[in-house]
Amino acid sequence: MTLGHEEKPLSGVVGLLFSVGGRRMPKGALGLATKSLAFGIAAFVFYAAAATILDPIELTSIFTALMLALVFLVIGATPEGVTDRVPVPDLLLSVTALCAGAYYAVNADTIIIRISLLDPLTAWDIAAGSALCLLTLEATRRAVGLALTIIVATMMIYNLWGDQLSGALAHGTISYEHFLDQTAFTINGLFGAPIRVAATYAFLFVTFGTFLERCGGGDFFFNLAAALSGRSVGGPAKVAVVSSAMYGTISGSPTSDVVTTGSVTIPMMRRLGYSGSLAGGIEVAASTSGGILPPIMGSAAFIMVEVTGIPYAQIVQAAILPAFLYLLGVFVVVDLLSRKLNLRSMNSEDVPSLMPTLRNGSRFLIPIVVLVVALFLGYSVNYVAIFGIISVLAVAVLRRSGRLGVKDAFDMLVLATIRMVPVAAACAAAGLVVGGISMTGLSGKVALLIYTIAGDGLLLSLVISAVICILLGMGMPTPSAYIMSAVLAAPILIGLGLPEMSAHFFLLFFAVLSALTPPVAVAAYAASSLAEANPITIAAKAVLVAAPAFFIPFAFAFHPELLGDGSATEVFVAACSSTIGVLAIAVASAGYLGVILTIPCRLVLLGAGIAIFVQELAIVLTGFVLLAGVGVWLFWRLSKRNVEVS
């Protein structure tokens, strides 16, 4: 059983900050114990989701401890090392996590009813809570990287010694017992919304995606994408866009998408004339869409449910038009760049036929349909995921060739649990930071800073919030970047009159885009080994390909109708105008529309596209006038070229 795709080791400062421990699977008795632990975690999550109701602290403390124990068994302390045995120090760390989890499980009733900051912590409480906090730091370093670990450690230091500072950043005295009480014995810190999402929605949907992929769904979606777009100009690039989007609906992870679909599409593009950086950039831009594509949207969307209380079905509905605009922009840029560079389609022998593809694999659409139907019938997100998993199993069992055995199901549950290791570590780390922000009042200070800079100007506040979100995303995964941004920036945006859905979706969108934004674009580093190109160059190309996506959040911030907040007519008008804006920015980014466009022309198109997104009617009309002017100029250029050719 494979644990994941091999990636090229990072080097330099970036390597120091973002390299993670090497993956391993012990052999022999310890290997069986490791797989049994992973299976037991999956069984616990399914039991908690479907068969009982556990108190949030009981659920998250046990889940966190079990996942920490698994981290030290399957991820080494360094990128290099043996892959089939576990060093003694790692075994001790794993056992320590299990002991801490057992303490929380045995004393759950007492911990649940204790009054925070009133009932004193016992020595055993302090030992167990301290162990989980320290183990979370090391697990974060191994599973996510040193960058997020430094952020978490800095916040912990700020909590404990920030009272020594002067000025606006100073806060009241927080003793270690006070810090530990809030961090490890309430739902305001380590056991807060991020890890609760990891222990419920995210885990179940990762399991769904794993089952669907391992049963053949991933191959079907790639073949379907190739059949639909492989024969057109720039076929391999369009296959990358479509297949990555399809795979993204079941993975929700840009990095996972890159190393899965990119392992096929990037070499294919390079064989047909695409540079390594452009091939990697196209794959990264396409794969990043997984974080906003319904019906799964990655774990950050589930955190939005917890933070806002907005039903997941409503969030999925709101994501439809922004996701469409994102993919439309990427697809158009890819098409125009392929024409501009005169790149070929796929070889005909490599393109599968559409009807045989549908005939052999259309059954894999059934689980997606089940998810959507269950969502809109009003079932809870947990049950939606469980229904999806059951439908995958039904499809796999009833297919004509082969059977799904008990061992296959066991292996898939183990793999799904191991895939959740980085997510769980990142969510636990995010909980530590969010708890620290709450204890110190840092969110209010950041809100005051934004207000001081932007005043009551919504546009400037949105720009500052977007920058904060992207900067945070350079040091942490999408779910962590979103939850930090939501705590720091969402209150000020909502206070300026932005609807709650628009404010949080704006931040989620930019948290997703941080995966492709240089200088630290995690998805680009994942693509660098496949493209054999510099990751910074890949990230720059990804930004070029996904350029319209950076303006889409401003469109739905000013036009909530794009998120479904309005009448059918208002939604239609907003969708049409935003589509025109996205197309204008896409053409400006590609620099081609039948002829190569000059820099001034591209700037006019960019300005026109942005103008169409704003609220003021006069500015919108100006944008359309500029587009009309560019259209006349292009018509004249093309007519002149045709006359010269004839």
Side-chain angles (χ1 to χ4, degrees):
M1 182 185 67
T2 59
L3 299 182
H5 299 267
E6 294 295 327
E7 296 175 23
K8 185 179 180 179
L10 306 180
S11 59
V13 175
V14 171
L16 176 65
L17 293 176
F18 295 95
S19 290
V20 296
R23 291 293 184 97
R24 65 190 175 206
M25 175 52 72
K27 293 184 177 180
L30 185 56
L32 179 60
T34 300
K35 291 182 179 180
S36 298
L37 174 61
F39 177 80
I41 294 172
F44 171 72
V45 170
F46 277 86
Y47 171 74
T52 189
I53 298 176
L54 295 178
D55 184 88
I57 290 184
E58 184 177 10
L59 168 66
T60 52
S61 61
I62 295 174
F63 176 81
T64 302
L66 291 174
M67 289 300 290
L68 289 174
L70 186 62
V71 167
F72 299 115
L73 293 176
V74 300
I75 300 183
T78 63
E80 302 82 18
V82 295
T83 60
D84 58 354
R85 60 184 176 85
V86 180
V88 172
D90 288 2
L91 280 175
L92 293 176
L93 291 174
S94 182
V95 170
T96 302
L98 290 175
C99 290
Y103 180 82
Y104 274 86
V106 170
N107 296 280
D109 292 339
T110 303
I111 293 171
I112 290 168
I113 65 173
R114 70 178 296 274
I115 302 175
S116 178
L117 300 180
L118 183 60
D119 294 337
L121 298 175
T122 67
W124 286 107
D125 289 339
I126 294 173
S130 299
L132 285 186
C133 290
L134 294 174
L135 290 171
T136 297
L137 281 175
E138 174 58 11
T140 302
R141 187 193 68 80
R142 293 184 183 213
V144 184
L146 186 60
L148 179 54
T149 310
I150 292 173
I151 292 172
V152 178
T154 302
M155 179 54 67
M156 294 172 70
I157 293 170
Y158 176 62
N159 270 253
L160 295 171
W161 290 287
D163 59 311
Q164 304 297 315
L165 299 175
S166 59
L169 289 177
H171 60 72
T173 301
I174 299 175
S175 67
Y176 181 71
E177 187 171 337
H178 177 173
F179 165 78
L180 197 63
D181 189 311
Q182 290 292 295
T183 300
F185 291 91
T186 71
I187 58 172
N188 300 321
L190 182 60
F191 306 134
I195 197 67
R196 190 162 61 248
V197 166
T200 52
Y201 317 141
F203 194 103
L204 294 171
F205 274 98
V206 166
T207 302
F208 167 80
T210 301
F211 273 50
L212 186 57
E213 175 199 345
R214 291 287 157 162
C215 290
D219 293 336
F220 164 69
F221 287 128
F222 179 84
N223 290 335
L224 179 60
L228 291 172
S229 55
R231 291 183 174 85
S232 60
V233 175
K238 292 175 182 175
V239 169
V241 174
V242 178
S243 63
S244 295
M246 290 180 175
Y247 187 80
T249 62
I250 62 175
S251 74
S253 167
T255 304
S256 173
D257 206 343
V258 165
V259 298
T260 302
T261 60
S263 63
V264 177
T265 58
I266 291 176
M268 186 189 306
M269 283 187 274
R270 293 182 65 200
R271 283 199 305 269
L272 295 178
Y274 292 77
S275 66
S277 59
L278 180 57
I282 290 172
E283 179 59 44
V284 168
S287 296
T288 301
S289 66
I292 56 169
L293 273 172
I296 296 179
M297 299 177 60
S299 53
F302 302 126
I303 294 176
M304 189 194 295
V305 175
E306 288 289 326
V307 172
T308 64
I310 299 173
Y312 187 68
Q314 189 175 337
I315 293 174
V316 168
Q317 284 180 285
I320 292 173
L321 281 176
F324 165 76
L325 292 173
Y326 181 104
L327 288 173
L328 175 67
V330 171
F331 195 89
V332 170
V333 172
V334 165
D335 178 75
L336 294 176
L337 284 176
S338 299
R339 295 178 187 277
K340 180 181 180 180
L341 300 173
N342 196 28
L343 297 169
R344 295 179 292 156
S345 61
M346 289 176 63
N347 297 325
S348 57
E349 61 270 19
D350 294 331
V351 181
S353 299
L354 179 60
M355 293 313 297
T357 298
L358 288 173
R359 187 165 54 249
N360 294 330
S362 58
R363 63 183 179 273
F364 292 113
L365 296 174
I366 295 174
I368 305 297
V369 173
V370 168
L371 285 184
V372 174
V373 171
L375 270 175
F376 289 101
L377 286 178
Y379 286 97
S380 70
V381 181
N382 283 347
Y383 277 104
V384 169
I386 291 171
F387 291 156
I389 293 168
I390 292 172
S391 66
V392 173
L393 292 173
V395 165
V397 169
L398 296 176
R399 64 184 179 179
R400 294 179 181 177
S401 59
R403 285 287 183 266
L404 182 68
V406 173
K407 184 180 183 302
D408 298 316
F410 175 86
D411 287 341
M412 286 189 285
L413 284 172
V414 170
L415 179 59
T417 305
I418 292 175
R419 284 180 170 178
M420 275 298 300
V421 163
V423 178
C427 287
L432 289 175
V433 177
V434 171
I437 290 172
S438 175
M439 266 186 281
T440 59
L442 185 61
S443 59
K445 295 166 186 174
V446 172
L448 179 62
L449 176 63
I450 295 175
Y451 184 77
T452 301
I453 297 173
D456 58 357
L458 178 59
L459 178 59
L460 187 53
S461 296
L462 287 169
V463 171
I464 295 172
S465 300
V467 171
I468 289 173
C469 203
I470 288 176
L471 288 174
L472 288 173
M474 291 181 185
M476 58 187 73
T478 297
S480 303
Y482 163 69
I483 189 63
M484 307 299 178
S485 304
V487 171
L488 294 172
I492 189 72
L493 297 180
I494 295 171
L496 290 172
L498 208 62
E500 186 175 38
M501 174 74 87
S502 299
H504 282 273
F505 213 89
F506 180 91
L507 298 172
L508 173 63
F509 214 99
F510 275 104
V512 170
L513 289 176
S514 68
L516 60 79
T517 308
V520 182
V522 179
Y525 283 93
S528 62
S529 60
L530 296 168
E532 297 181 3
N534 186 296
I536 302 299
T537 307
I538 290 175
K541 295 291 187 182
V543 170
L544 175 72
V545 173
F550 289 87
F551 300 95
I552 293 171
F554 293 93
F556 60 69
F558 289 119
H559 298 283
E561 300 87 5
L562 285 174
L563 301 179
D565 184 12
S567 66
T569 301
E570 290 172 332
V571 171
F572 178 76
V573 171
C576 290
S577 62
S578 297
T579 297
I580 295 171
V582 165
L583 292 175
I585 297 171
V587 174
S589 181
Y592 181 82
L593 191 63
V595 294
I596 295 177
L597 305 181
T598 62
I599 296 297
C601 181
R602 295 171 70 174
L603 292 175
V604 170
L605 279 171
L606 177 63
I610 295 172
I612 291 172
F613 286 155
V614 303
Q615 286 178 313
E616 297 295 330
L617 179 61
I619 298 177
V620 174
L621 291 176
T622 301
F624 279 107
V625 170
L626 290 174
L627 280 182
V630 171
V632 171
W633 179 81
L634 281 174
F635 179 78
W636 175 77
R637 281 283 308 273
L638 289 170
S639 299
K640 182 179 178 181
R641 189 183 69 173
N642 291 336
V643 169
E644 291 174 352
V645 170
S646 60

